[in-house]
Structure formats: C-alpha cells, structure tokens
C-alpha cells in the first residue's frame, strides 16, 4: 500500500517558509530511541501544496554548512534486560521495544514541545539490524505516517551512524574517509559528496565491538563489553600483554578480529586471568589498545589510497577514549581534520536517523511514501 496520491501538508513558518520537523525512530538492536529534529534554515524542501494539484518545485538542496537542530533525542537502553545473558537476546529485544516505544515517542514529542500536527516527516531505521526489533519501529512509524498523512522515509542504520558526525560539524570537507565501528559492523567508507558512500573495506568475521563484547562475556565482566573493558582497564599498562596487529594476506582494507579474539582467549588461559586477578587491568588495556591500533592502521592504509580531506569516526565503539585518542593522533600526523561525534551520538540514537531523513527529504521532497517498506537484516 502506498501513501502516494494522498495529501501531505508541511507546516509553514512565520516567514512563509516550510518548517520541517522530523520525528525519527530507531529500534535496530537494543536501544529504543525517538528524536525530533528541525531542518536547518535555508535547507528546506519544496512545499507540498495541499490537494491534488501540481507540487511546487524543490528549493535549493540542503546546504552542507547547516545542521538540523535536535529538539529531543530520547534513548532507552535495554542493557539491564540483556546483561544476564552476556549479549543481546533478539526475542527479548523486540518484546522490550514493543513495551516502551509508545512512551519513548511520546517523550520525544513532549521534550521537543511539539505534537504530531507539527511533524512534517516520519523517519525510521529500516536495517541492517535484528528483524524483530526493526519491525517494531517500522510498524509504529508506518502507523503514525498513515494516520497523520505525512511522508515516511526508511533509513539505513549505517548511513545514520556516518551522518551523526555532520550533526555537530555540518561543514566537514569532502572527500571524507569514515570509519564505522559498532557492535555489529566495522567498515571503512569513502564519502566523495554528501549522502554518497563507497565501501572500502569491512570485517570478514567479528566486528570490533563484538570482539570486545565477547572477551568481556568470557571473563564474566558484563554487557556491553566495550564500556566495561574501558572502565576496568583504566590505569592498566597497555603494553603488558604482547598482541600483534593482525594483517590480512592480500592488500585489502578488510578487517579481521577473530584472530585477535583467539589470541586474547589464549593469553587469558595461559596467564590465568580471571575477573578479580591483579593483571586484569593490564590485560584489558592491552586488548583495547590492539583493537584501537588495528582500526587506526586500516584508516592509515585507506587514507593513503583514497587521499581524503577529512576523517570521521562513528558507531558505538567510537565512544572509546583510547580509540578516540589514537584516531586523533593519526589525523594530526597525517595533517587531516578529524571529527568524532559526542558520545551520545556514537551509540544508537534516533537523532542520527532524523538527520539523514532531512537531507534526503530536502533533495527529493516528491519521494513516495511506501507503506510496504520492509525491514532488512544485513
Ligand atoms: O552502534 P552501537 O550502539 O550498536 C550497534 O549498531 O551495534 O554499538 C554498540 C557497541 C557495543 O559492542 C559496545 O560494547 C560498544 O559499542 N561500545 C564501546 C563503548 N561504548 C559502547 N566500545 C568501547 N568503548 C566504549 N566506551
Ligand atoms: Zn548502531
């Protein structure tokens, strides 16, 4: 079923310009999130006139120098639900999204101080992610868009992570080399212009966050593993355990973290590392250091090949202090500008979904709203 042909309306600001507010929803994994963003001034799409008459032509495309305003960005983590299992349990994740989504969307509107009548556009993460979780957000967003007769845009989760950086730094110079490191993905992209992504390399096995989560789980440290490893490794000497940066045999920019994970498990057994052992901080700091160095090594190789003007680091693992520092160090040496979103915008959140939606909508306000939008896992 499609909304095409129905009447859409976009609210007009006092200056007579369309004022687009987007309500974005993100439920791809274990965070239920909703956000309201206002399109930047001067980056407004063509007005959709009421009725069935011809639509006004699109205005200038969104200026890359302006960022939308985040009016609210509510994130409810399910960490407590999944912690006892040491990882996300997909069935529990979708059930939890169902329980909380109405309240989270309501809270996003309340904090933004707006009602559905002021929302001009709905956006939702379509994938990749856990199908059951994605379907909760997708179905909810379809219901809202259909009922309120507003356009709905399906957004790629990885694109949203990359876009998070532009929310705080809208004028990043292209071409941009982006490293995305999350619990499910580790990949390098070249963005030659806004909203264009060329995959340069990705992980052949575990994602970086997944490797951190698995080692934390093995040691019984809790979930999610990244922040726990960071906290317990504080003060540990990152040179105390001998890890080597893994290399792929070909000259590809693909990552592989399974070898590092196996090396870590071997060191844990050989050295009798357990939750309370005095060598734990040194071990965790060493593991975190090798993960950060491996990631930055790939950025170095990709930068040599692609010659970007700027570097961007994003995804949940980008919250990591050591990785942020190594990334900035490399950028300084290479003479490149480096951008990393503030921590809240690194992990899953709906503001980054709304940001992509506003850019896409500004480019093609005539886009069809398809209620058949389907979730995709990968
Ligand atoms: O982007 P994200 O919220 O969800 C996915 O799309 O996967 O990333 C979650 C990942 C988890 O693996 C978690 O352990 C990791 O981000 N993470 C961190 C930190 N905070 C979250 N890893 C290292 N250091 C952190 N401070
Ligand atoms: Zn994510």
């Amino acid at each position: 079923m499609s909304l095409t042909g129905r009447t859409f309306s976009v609210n007009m600001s006092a200056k007579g310009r369309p004022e687009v507010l987007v309500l974005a929803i993100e439920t791809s994994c274990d965070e239920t999130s909703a956000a309201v963003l206002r399109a930047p001034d001067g980056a407004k799409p063509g007005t959709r006139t009421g009725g069935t008459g011809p639509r006004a032509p699109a205005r200038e495309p969104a200026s890359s120098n302006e960022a939308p305003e985040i009016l609210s960005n509510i994130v409810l983590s399910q960490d407590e639900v999944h912690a006892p299992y040491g990882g996300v349990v997909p069935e529990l994740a979708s059930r939890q999204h169902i329980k909380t989504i109405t309240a989270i969307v309501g809270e996003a509107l309340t904090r933004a101080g707006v009602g559905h009548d002021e929302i001009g556009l709905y956006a939702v993460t379509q994938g990749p992610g856990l199908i059951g979780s994605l379907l909760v957000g997708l179905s909810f967003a379809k219901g809202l868009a259909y009922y309120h007769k507003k356009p709905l845009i399906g957004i790629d989760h990885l694109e949203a992570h990359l876009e998070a950086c532009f929310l705080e730094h809208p004028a990043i110079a292209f071409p941009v080399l982006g490293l995305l490191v999350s619990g499910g993905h580790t990949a390098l992209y070249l963005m030659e212009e806004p909203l264009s992504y060329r995959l340069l390399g990705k992980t052949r096995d575990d994602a970086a966050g997944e490797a951190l989560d698995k080692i934390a789980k093995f040691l019984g440290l809790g979930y999610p593993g990244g922040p726990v490893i960071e906290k317990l490794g504080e003060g540990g000497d990152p040179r105390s355990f001998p890890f080597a940066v893994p290399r792929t045999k070909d000259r590809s920019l693909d990552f592989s973290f399974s070898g590092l994970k196996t090396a870590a498990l071997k060191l844990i057994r050989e050295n009798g590392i357990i939750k309370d052992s005095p060598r734990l901080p040194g071990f965790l700091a060493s593991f975190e250091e090798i993960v950060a160095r491996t990631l930055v090594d790939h950025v170095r190789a990709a930068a040599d090949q692609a010659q970007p003007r700027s570097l961007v680091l994003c995804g949940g693992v980008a919250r990591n202090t050591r990785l942020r520092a190594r990334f900035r160090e490399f950028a300084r040496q290479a003479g490149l500008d480096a951008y990393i979103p503030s921590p809240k915008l690194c992990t899953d959140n709906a503001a980054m979904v709304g940001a992509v939606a506003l850019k896409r909508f500004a480019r093609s306000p005539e886009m069809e709203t398809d209620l058949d939008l389907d979730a995709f896992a990968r």
Side-chain angles (χ1 to χ4, degrees):
M1 189 209 280
S2 164
L3 276 184
T4 320
R6 287 176 170 268
T7 308
F8 294 138
S9 62
V10 171
N11 301 305
M12 304 298 281
S13 73
K15 295 177 200 149
R17 285 198 280 186
E19 181 169 275
V20 180
L21 293 188
V22 61
L23 171 65
I25 295 175
E26 152 67 43
T27 61
S28 66
C29 189
D30 59 342
E31 264 95 23
T32 317
S33 181
V36 178
L37 282 77
R38 190 198 310 278
D41 234 22
K44 305 291 163 52
T47 315
R48 285 167 184 263
T49 49
T52 51
R55 291 161 173 168
R59 293 178 185 215
E60 287 295 293
S63 152
S64 60
N65 291 333
E66 292 173 276
E69 185 186 351
I70 303 175
L71 303 184
S72 63
N73 187 21
I74 310 295
V75 182
L76 181 65
S77 154
Q78 302 179 356
D79 286 353
E80 282 172 22
V81 175
H82 304 289
Y85 306 93
V88 178
V89 183
E91 172 74 17
L92 295 181
S94 20
R95 285 172 187 265
Q96 195 64 17
H97 287 307
I98 289 173
K99 274 190 202 153
T100 58
I101 192 158
T102 310
I104 295 301
V105 168
E107 184 65 13
L109 289 166
T110 306
R111 293 267 184 98
V114 299
H116 281 289
D117 50 334
E118 289 154 90
I119 298 296
L121 172 69
Y122 291 92
V124 64
T125 305
Q126 225 183 320
L130 302 172
I131 287 294
S133 292
L134 288 162
L135 284 173
V136 176
L138 204 56
S139 311
F140 202 85
K142 282 181 188 175
L144 289 175
Y146 186 72
Y147 182 79
H148 296 286
K149 299 187 177 60
K150 291 288 156 62
L152 170 68
I153 305 185
I155 300 295
D156 184 294
H157 183 72
L158 305 183
E159 194 176 344
H161 269 304
L162 287 161
E163 191 60 31
C165 230
F166 294 88
L167 271 168
E168 293 168 313
H169 306 283
I172 300 177
F174 288 87
V176 178
L177 175 63
L179 170 63
L180 190 164
V181 245
S182 70
H185 296 87
T186 301
L188 277 162
Y189 294 89
L190 185 67
M191 292 172 264
E192 317 228 33
E193 54 182 76
L195 299 182
S196 101
Y197 315 89
R198 184 149 65 84
L199 180 68
L200 300 181
K202 64 180 170 46
T203 184
R204 292 180 179 175
D205 37 61
D206 291 335
E210 199 177 350
L212 293 165
D213 292 341
K214 284 180 178 169
I215 291 302
K217 181 179 181 183
F218 187 79
L219 288 167
L221 304 179
Y223 173 84
V228 179
I229 289 181
E230 172 152 36
K231 188 160 177 284
L232 298 179
E234 248 170 32
D237 181 355
R239 291 156 308 176
S240 29
F241 285 82
F243 283 107
V245 173
R247 310 245 175 244
T248 40
K249 291 206 177 70
D250 48 37
R251 282 176 42 81
S252 108
L253 292 170
D254 283 348
F255 300 83
S256 169
F257 286 98
S258 71
L260 266 190
K261 196 184 58 191
T262 310
L265 294 175
K266 189 161 170 273
L267 285 173
I268 290 172
R269 286 201 193 93
E270 282 172 5
N271 294 278
I273 309 268
I274 51 165
K275 200 173 171 182
D276 302 315
S277 72
R279 300 186 72 191
L280 185 73
F283 173 78
L284 297 179
S286 303
F287 187 60
E288 203 187 68
E289 177 73 24
I290 194 70
V291 169
R293 273 184 31 213
T294 304
L295 291 167
V296 171
D297 258 32
H298 279 70
V299 175
R300 183 178 293 113
D304 279 351
Q305 274 184 30
Q307 299 292 313
R309 286 180 66 193
S310 323
L311 302 175
V312 156
L313 173 65
C314 62
V317 183
R319 288 181 82 120
N320 187 268
T321 311
R322 198 183 295 276
L323 175 60
R324 293 169 89 93
R326 295 290 166 274
F327 187 78
R328 288 196 200 285
E329 265 164 36
F330 163 66
R332 239 188 336 267
Q333 288 161 11
L336 295 166
D337 290 328
Y339 302 90
I340 313 175
S342 44
K344 192 178 173 191
L345 293 174
C346 289
T347 26
D348 290 350
N349 69 90
M352 64 188 193
V353 176
V356 181
L358 285 175
K359 278 197 182 169
R360 291 210 175 280
F361 191 58
R363 283 197 175 182
S364 36
E366 310 300 320
M367 67 174 57
E368 293 189 0
T369 299
D370 185 2
L371 288 192
D372 287 333
L373 274 186
D374 211 354
F376 57 92
R378 18 180 99 244

